Amino acid sequence: MKKIKIWIECARLRTLPVSLSGVIIALGFAAWQDKFNWIPAVLCVLFALLAQIVSNMANEYYDYLKGTDKPGRDGPRRGVTEGDISPNKLRNVTFTLLVLDCLVGLGMLWYGEWWLIIVGLIIAIFALAYSAGPYPLSYHGLGEAAVFIFFGVVPVVFTHHVVSMTPLSFSPSNMLVLLASMAIGFMGVNVLLVNNYRDVDDDREAGKNTSVVIFGRKPAAAAYLINGYVAVALLTPLWLGCLFMDERLPLWALAAPALYLVLHTVTWYQLTTRQGKALNPLLGGTARNMLFFTIILTAALACAH
């Protein structure tokens, strides 16, 4: 049981809503458009979960090699840093899951075009490039950009494309999906911001130039607050549609932005008033806010079908 707990901590389950939210909301849009297919939906969920876990484990492994993480850190326990997991074992498990994720991705080709192989390869590369390679993104202030693209735009747009078997285009329905992908991207960025906000002193000492190290905590906290409100504002056409569109969502769909903004504002206030280990619950809290928003909106999309 202790070993299982160590590996669960290594997978960082509290961050999984970041990858799941994009896929779930894309499934909601596919159902709303009466174009939902179960098998590619399951494949997309598995692919997203494995990609997130691979990224988390690779981040822990390469941060360990660079000496970024230290024993007794303020953040969640790192098994390889504390000596609970050998570096070689963590590396082997990471790349085994990466191969498994690629195999799941190949299964999607039955429902999409051949060029999805290129998309899958790019996702696999960036799952490692976040913290590895000659120019690790998280060490050069580009972590937020990577999260926005690969946990926001990419999973929402391409999950919708595969599950609905709808061609990529600039049709009104696809533009709503694109706006939703950007909203999820901004929400996902906030999860990373909390992590980097907490670790700013350790990251600065280790030479890890996250955006918080570069710009400071106050701008990071302001960005956190703004990101949440921008995410909700991006879907204004959808919220207005609850009131004015012929094929509108149920009125209770407005609970998604309302609840999210309340929780988001409270979490932001806690972010600005806490330090050190007291910031740890806000990582899960930010992911929770994102997941609540996604579940309510997806339920509304499915019910409007």
Side-chain angles (χ1 to χ4, degrees):
M1 290 302 297
K2 183 179 178 181
K3 289 183 179 180
I4 292 174
K5 182 181 178 181
I6 290 170
W7 282 104
I8 289 175
E9 288 175 345
C10 188
R12 304 183 199 176
L13 297 188
R14 69 180 65 188
T15 67
L16 295 187
V18 179
S19 57
L20 271 180
S21 291
V23 174
I24 291 172
I25 208 165
L27 300 183
F29 275 101
W32 189 33
Q33 298 162 0
D34 197 21
K35 296 178 179 179
F36 184 87
N37 293 284
W38 276 105
I39 296 178
V42 171
L43 290 174
C44 287
V45 169
L46 288 175
F47 183 85
L49 286 175
L50 285 170
Q52 176 82 67
I53 293 172
V54 167
S55 181
N56 290 343
M57 289 185 171
N59 178 250
E60 179 168 340
Y61 174 71
Y62 288 106
D63 277 356
Y64 167 80
L65 293 183
K66 293 180 174 68
T68 304
D69 289 339
K70 297 179 180 179
R73 63 195 294 272
D74 286 337
R77 183 183 179 86
R78 295 286 178 260
V80 69
T81 303
E82 302 291 346
D84 299 327
I85 303 172
S86 72
N88 288 342
K89 182 173 290 187
L90 178 58
R91 179 200 61 203
N92 294 341
V93 170
T94 299
F95 281 94
T96 298
L97 291 178
L98 179 61
V99 171
L100 180 60
D101 198 28
C102 291
L103 292 176
V104 173
L106 288 174
M108 298 181 193
L109 294 179
W110 185 262
Y111 304 95
E113 297 84 349
W114 67 269
W115 52 260
L116 287 173
I117 295 177
I118 299 174
V119 176
L121 287 174
I122 292 173
I123 292 172
I125 291 170
F126 273 87
L128 299 177
Y130 179 80
S131 51
Y135 197 82
L137 301 177
S138 62
Y139 283 73
H140 295 86
L142 295 174
E144 286 79 8
V147 168
F148 181 83
I149 294 170
F150 290 99
F151 290 99
V153 176
V154 169
V156 177
V157 170
F158 287 100
T159 295
H160 177 263
H161 169 67
V162 171
V163 172
S164 68
M165 301 183 190
T166 300
L168 295 177
S169 69
F170 292 102
S171 66
S173 59
N174 281 351
M175 288 306 296
L176 275 177
V177 173
L178 179 60
L179 290 174
S181 75
M182 296 168 66
I184 292 297
F186 278 114
M187 292 179 184
V189 164
N190 275 350
V191 176
L192 180 60
L193 274 177
V194 173
N195 185 77
N196 292 342
Y197 185 96
R198 179 200 61 214
D199 295 340
V200 61
D201 294 330
D202 290 340
D203 288 341
R204 184 183 293 112
E205 183 180 342
K208 185 176 182 179
N209 292 318
T210 65
S211 64
V212 186
V213 170
I214 295 169
F215 297 107
R217 274 182 167 159
K218 286 187 177 180
Y224 179 97
L225 181 65
I226 292 169
N227 284 347
Y229 280 83
V230 169
V232 170
L234 282 168
L235 287 171
T236 297
L238 202 59
W239 313 137
L240 291 177
C242 290
L243 303 172
F244 304 116
M245 286 175 60
D246 291 335
E247 296 183 2
R248 59 182 179 270
L249 298 184
L251 193 59
W252 57 264
L254 294 175
L259 177 62
Y260 174 79
L261 289 179
V262 170
L263 293 174
H264 171 68
T265 305
V266 170
T267 309
W268 164 79
Y269 176 76
Q270 293 171 336
L271 180 71
T272 62
T273 56
R274 296 184 183 184
Q275 297 288 333
K277 293 182 182 294
L279 291 166
N280 285 337
L282 303 188
L283 187 67
T286 303
R288 172 209 62 201
N289 300 346
M290 182 180 184
L291 190 59
F292 280 176
F293 174 87
T294 300
I295 290 174
I296 295 171
L297 179 54
T298 301
L301 289 166
C303 288
H305 162 54

